[in-house]
Amino acid sequence: MRALGTTCLVGLLGLVACGTSTPPARHTQRLTIAWIPKALNNPVFELGRAGALERAAELTAAGPVEVEVLVYGSVAADAAEQARVVEDVIARGVDAIAISCNDPTACLDPINSAVQAGTPVMTWDSDSPDSKRFTYLGVDNYRGGQMAAELLLQAIGPKGQVVLLTGVPGAYNLEQRIQGFTDAMAAYSDIEIVDTVACNDDINLGVQVVEEMMQSRPELDGWFFVGMWPLFAERGSMPLWEAAAREERVRTVAFDTLPVELDYLKDGYLSGLIGQKYWGWGYDSVQIIYDHVLGGKTFPPFTDSGMDIVTAANVDTMIEAWKTNDFSQPLPDPFPTP
Amino acid sequence: MRAFSASHSKPSWPGVWQAVVRRQEFGIAVILLALTIILSLQTSTFLTGTNLFNVMRASSWIAIAAFGEAIVIIAGGIDLSVGSVMALAGLVSALTLLAGWGAPSAICAGLAAGVAVGFINGVFVSRGKLPSFIVTLGTLSAARGLAFGLTGGEPVRNLPNSFVHLGQYNLPLGNWEVPLPAIAMLVFAGLTALLLSRTVLGGHIYALGSDETAVWLAGINVERLKITVYTLSGVLAAAGGILMTARLGVAAPTAAVGYELDIIAAAMVGGVSWLGGKGTVWGALLGAMTMQVLRNGLVLLGFPTYWQATAIGVIIIAAIALDRWRSGHS
């Protein structure tokens, strides 16, 4: 008992020793920011995380304030777990929170509690619009959905059967995209949205539901992937969809412009992509919080991060941007006049 | 049967100490105490009222479901459907609220959903003579599917404040603001502990887990007993799910996915034996709180979140190994 107990305690102390730190002497002040994505298992947030840490390092090097970014989140996209993480972060004490909400209602009480406790909160990617967050940084998801409809119409024409793939049902950003898409398609009576399937932001489940749909509806004309989950799986994981896409029996537009999707687009599997500013989710969030907390700058409720439209016409520029990690240059026109 | 101190000898300190140490929950209590001490020393925020009450609130729905799970495991079975029941009950309550029912009626509706699933579990295990693992694995999927079917996958929001308050309101008690879910957790713990330790039913439940044949030979209706046990688990899981839904203000068919693992872990870390016949509700409570304290501690310490799941797994194995070691030496 004693040996086991001692080992456990030593082990725990070892864990504990790794966790804490004190600010270096050069800086007089420390700004601690909690950056909370929807989940830790979604690769789309990786770039944002890197961006947040990069901006924090830049600001620390340039000024008198040490900017520290802590990345917390639930492993999978779980609203209850995310609410708990926010509570823990408030208890820990941070200077500001930047969060992408799994569910706008579930985030309401945690965000408002944080703001009430004196911790400013901003949202990015997925908003909780009724909360007391001081701004939302992201794309106009409704407009993005409309753009996706436009891209799909260009690919399949004004007639056909279309299916939507979404992630966690009810996530605000996804719902906005679906609404924009559906509203835009309403004007075309020969376009029929036959189904919406969900994959809970899980890559594996996304692959599964897409293949099941391809199996049960061979006459399908178009897909709108409201997020890119199944495309994270490698080639060969969705044989029915891939074959149909290659043979141009089904055309797909998707959200997000990560490198794996750009490759799919270049190889002809996708007709168009709506891109967000993944780097900016982290990089710009840190900057916004820095300006708001230390500079007292106010922001409008919606800070438009801007959207990228990628088609075969400008996909090469986008691929180049990923290689150099420089997303500051504007993209060429996605619909060049011939 | 669980350990108890001899009732006829004069109380002496070594005797009292022996009795305490021999209790099932001693191991997990030690671990929880160690975690508390370490976190209090290493952070200035762990031992604050706000944080501790947060931890209690966050563990409350897992804990309440773990009380029900403890009952089932003590009785010699297992209930894998608890996560799905949590989601289903929350959803049923939310739908009835939107249909205009008052909060108390909506809560009863949600609890009834838990009773229904638990009853089905009990019938298949007892009359159908099917292994509880398989039956509850089936109802795990069926209840989850029903939750999806009820709303087409969409979450249900715009719940009235009278309901949401149950999960979000803090009761002012003296200097403290105690979250209602924490109070509910303690009330349920007390009631379930009373059921198990002071009622005839409780005695039968322990006996069932120890030796089912002996219970049957004693003339007790084993089928009815099993149905009762699984129904209790269903209703407690439902209570946890309703509380969680109130806290979040939204009911989703995707809620509580995978929670059955945490719930079972909480019970077993708390000393409820896999073999049946041993364990207490207080152990399950300590188990649920220990896991939550660990999660909370990792955030407070600034530990990379990726390692949380690993750390929790290590604690689970350590706690159960400790328990095995102690029961081997008692």
Side-chain angles (χ1 to χ4, degrees), chain A residues 303-326:
Chain A
T303 304
D304 194 346
S305 64
M307 217 161 40
D308 290 325
I309 312 283
V310 175
T311 59
N314 58 5
V315 64
D316 289 316
T317 317
M318 196 65 192
I319 291 176
E320 202 46 44
W322 277 95
K323 288 211 183 103
T324 58
N325 229 19
D326 177 14

Side-chain angles (χ1 to χ4, degrees), chain A residues 17-102:
Chain A
C18 301
T20 54
S21 63
T22 48
R26 184 163 78 82
H27 292 100
T28 52
Q29 199 186 346
R30 178 196 253 178
L31 178 71
T32 307
I33 302 171
W35 193 80
I36 306 176
K38 282 190 192 177
L40 298 177
N41 65 357
N42 192 337
V44 83
F45 299 123
E46 278 308 298
L47 197 63
R49 182 172 175 274
L53 295 170
E54 167 103 356
R55 190 66 190 132
E58 284 174 11
L59 288 169
T60 305
V65 179
E66 188 210 346
V67 180
E68 181 189 26
V69 166
L70 305 169
V71 179
Y72 292 119
S74 53
V75 176
D78 182 55
E81 188 66 9
Q82 192 178 48
R84 183 200 64 78
V85 167
V86 174
E87 282 173 1
D88 286 349
V89 159
I90 299 170
R92 185 199 183 281
V94 291
D95 298 306
I97 296 173
I99 182 171
S100 172
C101 296
N102 278 307

Side-chain angles (χ1 to χ4, degrees), chain A residues 72 78 84 87-88 105, chain B residues 42 157 247 259 292 296 299:
Chain A
Y72 292 119
D78 182 55
R84 183 200 64 78
E87 282 173 1
D88 286 349
T105 312
Chain B
Q42 280 288 2
R157 4 173 147 273
R247 195 270 169 279
Y259 279 25
Q292 197 52 45
N296 172 254
V299 172

Side-chain angles (χ1 to χ4, degrees), chain B residues 69 72-73 76-80 132-134 136 230 264 268 274:
Chain B
E69 187 72 50
V72 170
I73 298 177
I78 191 113
D79 188 350
L80 296 174
S132 57
F133 190 94
I134 304 294
T136 57
Y230 285 94
I264 292 170
M268 294 204 169
W274 174 261

Side-chain angles (χ1 to χ4, degrees), chain B residues 82-248:
Chain B
V82 283
S84 305
V85 169
M86 284 178 77
L88 182 64
L91 210 53
V92 167
S93 294
L95 288 170
T96 50
L97 281 168
L98 288 189
W101 293 28
S105 323
I107 290 170
C108 287
L111 292 175
V115 166
V117 176
F119 185 80
I120 292 171
N121 282 335
V123 166
F124 276 104
V125 169
S126 62
R127 300 236 176 95
K129 306 228 183 307
L130 299 170
S132 57
F133 190 94
I134 304 294
V135 170
T136 57
L137 191 59
T139 43
L140 176 159
S141 294
R144 181 67 63 183
L146 186 60
F148 271 96
L150 282 174
T151 63
E154 293 301 314
V156 177
R157 4 173 147 273
N158 298 321
L159 306 179
N161 270 334
S162 55
F163 176 74
V164 170
H165 254 59
L166 291 170
Q168 298 185 356
Y169 182 63
N170 295 339
L171 193 68
L173 283 178
N175 271 342
W176 291 334
E177 303 241 316
V178 186
L180 285 183
I183 297 175
M185 174 173 72
L186 293 172
V187 167
F188 275 109
L191 290 173
T192 325
L194 276 174
L195 177 83
L196 281 178
S197 61
R198 293 270 182 270
T199 66
V200 173
L201 176 63
H204 288 171
I205 290 173
Y206 277 104
L208 185 64
S210 298
D211 190 340
E212 182 173 328
T213 318
V215 168
W216 176 75
L217 285 172
I220 295 166
N221 188 332
V222 170
E223 273 184 14
R224 195 153 18 131
L225 186 57
K226 285 188 179 178
I227 292 175
T228 309
V229 159
Y230 285 94
T231 309
L232 281 171
S233 176
V235 86
L236 283 166
I242 293 168
L243 211 51
M244 182 180 76
T245 304
R247 195 270 169 279
L248 296 177

Side-chain angles (χ1 to χ4, degrees), chain A residues 128-268:
Chain A
S128 179
D130 295 330
S131 72
K132 295 186 180 145
R133 54 72 176 140
F134 70 87
T135 190
Y136 159 63
L137 171 75
V139 296
D140 183 348
N141 283 293
Y142 183 85
R143 179 101 194 89
Q146 288 178 316
M147 288 305 315
E150 232 167 282
L151 285 168
L152 194 59
L153 283 165
Q154 281 184 7
I156 67 174
K159 184 159 132 50
Q161 293 192 339
V162 169
V163 172
L164 275 61
L165 168 72
T166 186
V168 173
Y172 194 68
N173 58 344
L174 305 178
E175 294 301 317
Q176 292 284 89
R177 295 173 200 173
I178 294 173
Q179 196 63 54
F181 184 88
T182 323
D183 287 350
M185 286 304 199
Y188 298 84
S189 52
D190 287 324
I191 292 275
E192 194 196 346
I193 299 177
V194 293
D195 210 345
T196 303
V197 289
C199 72
N200 299 341
D201 285 19
D202 183 66
I203 297 169
N204 197 23
L205 194 57
V207 164
Q208 209 179 302
V209 299
V210 168
E211 283 297 278
E212 280 167 5
M213 184 57 65
M214 294 303 298
Q215 181 85 40
S216 61
R217 288 184 187 276
E219 73 286 0
L220 208 53
D221 299 294
W223 272 101
F224 173 29
F225 289 170
V226 178
M228 58 172 292
W229 313 279
L231 299 171
F232 272 122
E234 288 300 306
R235 303 279 173 98
S237 57
M238 292 190 285
L240 291 174
W241 177 80
E242 286 167 44
R246 263 196 313 266
E247 292 153 26
E248 296 186 357
R249 286 182 279 120
V250 92
R251 312 299 286 267
T252 307
V253 299
F255 244 78
D256 294 326
T257 47
L258 266 63
V260 61
E261 287 179 291
L262 299 172
D263 288 338
Y264 269 114
L265 184 73
K266 210 161 153 63
D267 295 341

